[in-house]
Amino acid sequence: MAKEDVIVIGSGGGGAVIAKELGEMGLKVLVLEAGPWYGNKKWQNPNLQPGAKISSTFDDLDVSLYKQLVNKYEQNMNDLVSGRFRWGPADRSRSQWFRNIKQKGMIWQSSGVGGTTQVYTANCPRAFPMAVDHVWPLSYLELIPYYEKVEDTLPVNFAPTTAKEELFYYGAKKAGWHLIPTLDVTVPGFRPQPNAILPPNNNILNPHVRLEELSWMEGCTLAGHCVNGCPHGPSMDKIAKRSTNVSYVPLALKTSNVTIRPNAFVLKIVTDIDSSEGLRAIGVVIRDTWTGEKEELQAKVVVMAAGSIESPRLWMNSGLPHNPWVGKGLVNHYMDWLTGIFAEKELMPILGSSDVNPFVGHTCGARLDYPGLGTLQTVGMSPGLTASFFGMSESGYDFLTSSMTKGRLYGDELKEVMTNYRRTLSVLVSTDDEVDPQNGITLDPLISDEHGSVPVVAYKPTKRSKRKRSELVKIAVDILYKAGAKKIIWSNWPAGNMIHMESTMRMGFVVDENCESYDVKRLYIADNSVHYNSLGGPNPTLTTQALATRTAEKLFNKYF
Ligand SMILES: Cc1cc2nc3c(=O)[nH]c(=O)nc-3n(C[C@H](O)[C@H](O)[C@H](O)COP(=O)(O)OP(=O)(O)OC[C@H]3O[C@@H](n4cnc5c(N)ncnc54)[C@H](O)[C@@H]3O)c2cc1C
Ligand code: SF4
């Protein structure tokens, strides 16, 4: 049986990064991805036909095919059941992969090459230093060179200002907040979003360049709808939104050392006992999601990057040693959503226009960071997604006053808000929620699918997390009113809305500070699950990518 140097499980936020780094070090890497691959010549109809088995050359990437498959239509891309970015196998005659979530809410994750970064909004803030220093088993200073490497590679830029950011900055300044001029956030304040989106195309205002031509040039078109997928750019490695399938994956393939196999669900980590190392990982068992065939593959080192739910599930389904922290301590940035509705006469003097048009520009172009509490971000989602968010609430139908509505919107009230959609500004709350061992992933004792026992996902915020979220909600309300909102909708999202899952295989408990498992040698983890906590509230992916870059170095030095 051929032996790889390293097998990486998952090609999303973390997996694609460690594959590229190890490939550049000259190691032979096999990436196993459970979902489909969009934009590779070897999979012309990825949701209809099995296509090829593997791809290992950059020349297989095909931007025309990618643009044909990835468009901005909300339902096409983001319908959680049938959209291209759903959580399930490529084959559309089969259902999604089931997770048992015993509370209100939803789990928003994607399968496929690029993982959930295919749909993410590309915000790339660093963790708050105070959430890392003297808390994590490594210092913030140690992370900085790895942050810098990822920021250069993606690359990370500051978001340009469109109307919704301008309105947010206006409100934030009137509410007494100041601009933070640094990436390392130690005091509260607002700033443009650091994100992995290429700067705006120089021809945006050129009337002689047609929209179709613009979309084939390098740079962001500011046309918005980034969550539905970004099809703008001249080649697969120059797409404006730098999801890992268009950034790290092309770079990994360029090393000629990395092979990627989509439609391959890893069922089990295979181990043996070595006289000097003890229990160690030696390979995996996979299941081809089209044919159902199983296969064992071997490697000198195995890296789990299947995400914060599937990595602990895989550990437990593989029967690896019991560790009380496997799957435990899930954090989720305990989120909330508020929307201000503005009148034309309020907007004109601030924006010089009667509309905000929140879908224009980067989805989350501005943020307010508050070390100790968490973060606020502007969010300009497409209208269908926005409307669906008004249907999610912990409080049911709970109307407060005429200028503030809390709870779920429906009927005439939803119609009224959506009629005013172009004059709204929405703010997402991301709390610095506490690690609590009661929260996390366990295996369902009764329900299995073709990949083993399904995960049960449970999350209940602690008292302190609830208090922090309330403080952030108050700040958001104040900013929206100061910006001139005539009415605010406070959604009061249920705690079960899972978008930023982290910390289920914590550093210092399940893995050491180099992200190697304490219990199984040669088994590393390179996804959100290794975070020690919720980073203070900032979006998680950049930190996962910095850690994956560091883990590659540590793994290489120890075993090769
Ligand atoms: C709408 C939305 C917006 C977001 N915006 C941002 C943002 O702006 N900034 C930010 O930092 N974060 C954002 N996030 C979160 C971000 O997407 C995640 O932090 C990031 O993708 C996590 O990386 P990961 O490697 O842990 O998991 P994933 O990216 O989910 O990758 C895991 C991969 O492993 C594969 N896999 C799972 N199990 C197996 C198995 N057994 N065998 C083989 N393959 C397997 C999956 O198919 C998937 O491709 C957003 C998320 C959503 C849903
Ligand atoms: S706004 Fe920019 S990043 Fe977003 S989808 Fe459009 S081109 Fe892509």
Side-chain angles (χ1 to χ4, degrees):
M1 196 182 296
K3 203 171 190 174
E4 308 291 338
D5 286 327
V6 180
I7 284 177
V8 177
I9 305 164
S11 62
V17 173
I18 197 160
K20 172 257 182 196
E21 292 296 324
L22 294 171
E24 282 181 355
M25 289 167 189
L27 299 188
K28 291 288 171 204
V29 182
L30 173 63
V31 180
L32 299 166
E33 167 53 52
W37 196 341
Y38 298 123
N40 188 308
K41 287 176 201 158
K42 292 190 162 180
W43 291 272
Q44 291 285 334
N45 293 301
N47 302 126
L48 284 176
Q49 290 158 357
K53 218 167 191 180
I54 54 161
S55 165
S56 40
T57 73
F58 177 77
D59 292 341
D60 286 344
L61 299 182
D62 180 344
V63 71
S64 299
L65 178 63
Y66 179 78
K67 288 184 185 221
Q68 192 189 309
L69 294 164
V70 176
N71 55 44
K72 289 187 172 183
Y73 300 123
E74 294 175 76
Q75 196 166 1
N76 248 12
M77 306 312 298
N78 255 326
D79 184 297
L80 292 178
V81 177
S82 61
R84 288 230 157 80
F85 295 149
R86 75 169 182 169
W87 175 248
D91 180 356
R92 292 309 149 122
S93 66
R94 289 165 203 253
S95 59
Q96 291 171 282
W97 294 315
F98 177 66
R99 272 88 179 269
N100 193 348
I101 171 164
K102 296 189 168 184
Q103 57 199 111
K104 287 182 215 161
M106 60 157 193
I107 296 171
W108 199 348
Q109 245 188 314
S110 291
S111 57
V113 172
T116 314
T117 71
Q118 294 174 102
V119 35
Y120 88 152
T121 53
N123 312 327
C124 293
R126 297 178 179 185
F128 293 150
M130 70 175 264
V132 175
D133 271 334
H134 314 295
V135 184
W136 287 46
L138 55 96
S139 71
Y140 188 75
L141 200 63
E142 281 173 81
L143 278 177
I144 288 180
Y146 301 102
Y147 275 137
E148 286 172 346
K149 186 166 186 189
V150 180
E151 285 160 352
D152 285 349
T153 306
L154 282 168
V156 173
N157 298 284
F158 284 108
T161 300
T162 52
K164 68 180 179 306
E165 291 80 34
E166 199 168 338
L167 190 58
F168 182 79
Y169 298 144
Y170 176 82
K173 274 184 215 161
K174 276 190 84 178
W177 301 99
H178 296 286
L179 177 73
I180 309 176
T182 167
L183 289 172
D184 306 311
V185 175
T186 54
V187 292
F190 64 87
R191 57 188 174 133
Q193 184 76 257
N195 67 17
I197 294 180
L198 296 178
N201 188 298
N202 289 332
N203 285 300
I204 275 182
L205 296 175
N206 183 346
H208 304 297
V209 174
R210 288 180 300 119
L211 280 179
E212 173 64 14
E213 282 176 82
L214 196 65
S215 170
W216 282 89
M217 295 175 172
E218 189 172 324
C220 175
T221 63
L222 294 183
H225 309 287
C226 319
V227 167
N228 307 330
C230 174
H232 300 281
S235 60
M236 269 295 273
D237 55 344
K238 296 275 184 217
I239 293 288
K241 188 184 82 169
R242 314 296 295 143
S243 310
T244 56
N245 53 325
V246 298
S247 55
Y248 275 89
V249 164
L251 290 172
L253 294 175
K254 278 182 185 168
T255 68
S256 303
N257 289 322
V258 177
T259 298
I260 302 181
R261 180 167 174 179
N263 309 309
F265 202 109
V266 177
L267 301 174
K268 189 177 176 196
I269 307 285
V270 181
T271 56
D272 73 359
I273 297 184
D274 176 76
S275 53
S276 57
E277 291 182 326
L279 187 69
R280 60 179 189 176
I282 56 164
V284 296
V285 175
I286 62 165
R287 177 182 175 278
D288 184 302
T289 62
W290 284 96
T291 63
E293 280 165 25
K294 293 182 186 168
E295 209 177 314
E296 185 171 326
L297 304 165
Q298 291 193 346
K300 293 176 194 149
V301 170
V302 176
V303 178
M304 290 207 268
S308 292
I309 299 177
E310 295 299 323
S311 284
R313 177 203 186 191
L314 180 57
W315 178 290
M316 292 184 271
N317 272 332
S318 303
L320 298 183
H322 173 74
N323 173 320
W325 276 92
V326 166
K328 297 288 163 43
L330 172 70
V331 289
N332 181 40
H333 286 160
Y334 184 36
M335 291 185 172
D336 206 348
W337 179 277
L338 295 104
T339 299
I341 304 174
F342 294 77
E344 281 182 34
K345 68 174 182 355
E346 300 289 347
L347 294 175
M348 277 312 281
I350 306 168
L351 303 177
S353 152
S354 58
D355 287 332
V356 182
N357 286 331
F359 51 85
V360 170
H362 296 188
T363 299
C364 305
R367 58 189 297 123
L368 181 136
D369 290 296
Y370 197 133
L373 285 185
T375 77
L376 304 180
Q377 296 169 86
T378 53
V379 203
M381 294 274 180
S382 318
L385 278 169
T386 306
S388 68
F389 291 150
F390 293 134
M392 286 191 289
S393 176
E394 193 71 57
S395 11
Y397 307 103
D398 176 13
F399 306 110
L400 290 183
T401 66
S402 57
S403 67
M404 176 97 155
T405 297
K406 181 184 177 192
R408 191 176 294 174
L409 293 188
Y410 74 107
D412 287 343
E413 195 146 30
L414 179 59
K415 266 195 216 155
E416 189 207 326
V417 173
M418 291 314 292
T419 307
N420 284 296
Y421 165 67
R422 286 177 180 271
R423 285 193 295 278
T424 58
L425 172 63
S426 295
V427 175
L428 179 75
V429 171
S430 240
T431 311
D432 170 19
D433 53 350
E434 270 186 300
V435 169
D436 178 351
Q438 311 278 358
N439 293 329
I441 317 302
T442 48
L443 290 185
D444 196 306
L446 300 174
I447 309 172
S448 301
D449 65 9
E450 63 275 35
H451 303 126
S453 297
V454 303
V456 181
V457 184
Y459 175 84
K460 206 170 152 201
T462 64
K463 267 193 191 151
R464 200 176 326 170
S465 302
K466 282 185 180 165
R467 185 187 54 73
K468 287 183 184 183
R469 197 184 80 157
S470 302
E471 290 297 313
L472 289 164
V473 166
K474 278 187 214 151
I475 294 170
V477 167
D478 186 42
I479 290 175
L480 288 170
Y481 277 138
K482 293 268 167 40
K486 61 177 175 144
K487 182 167 183 168
I488 293 176
I489 316 296
W490 171 17
S491 288
N492 189 20
W493 267 11
N497 269 4
M498 306 272 165
I499 300 181
H500 286 176
M501 294 79 79
E502 297 165 85
S503 187
T504 50
M505 304 289 266
R506 287 176 91 194
M507 189 185 283
F509 294 81
V510 178
V511 294
D512 65 16
E513 80 268 21
N514 297 331
C515 296
E516 184 175 13
S517 133
Y518 286 122
D519 301 296
V520 186
K521 293 294 135 210
R522 295 175 180 266
L523 180 62
Y524 285 80
I525 305 185
D527 56 29
N528 281 11
S529 68
V530 292
H531 295 179
Y532 185 89
N533 54 15
S534 63
L535 315 177
N539 318 54
T541 314
L542 184 80
T543 301
T544 292
Q545 298 180 326
L547 280 172
T549 306
R550 182 176 181 274
T551 303
E553 217 175 88
K554 303 290 175 188
L555 176 168
F556 180 81
N557 290 340
K558 182 160 177 188
Y559 289 113
F560 296 94

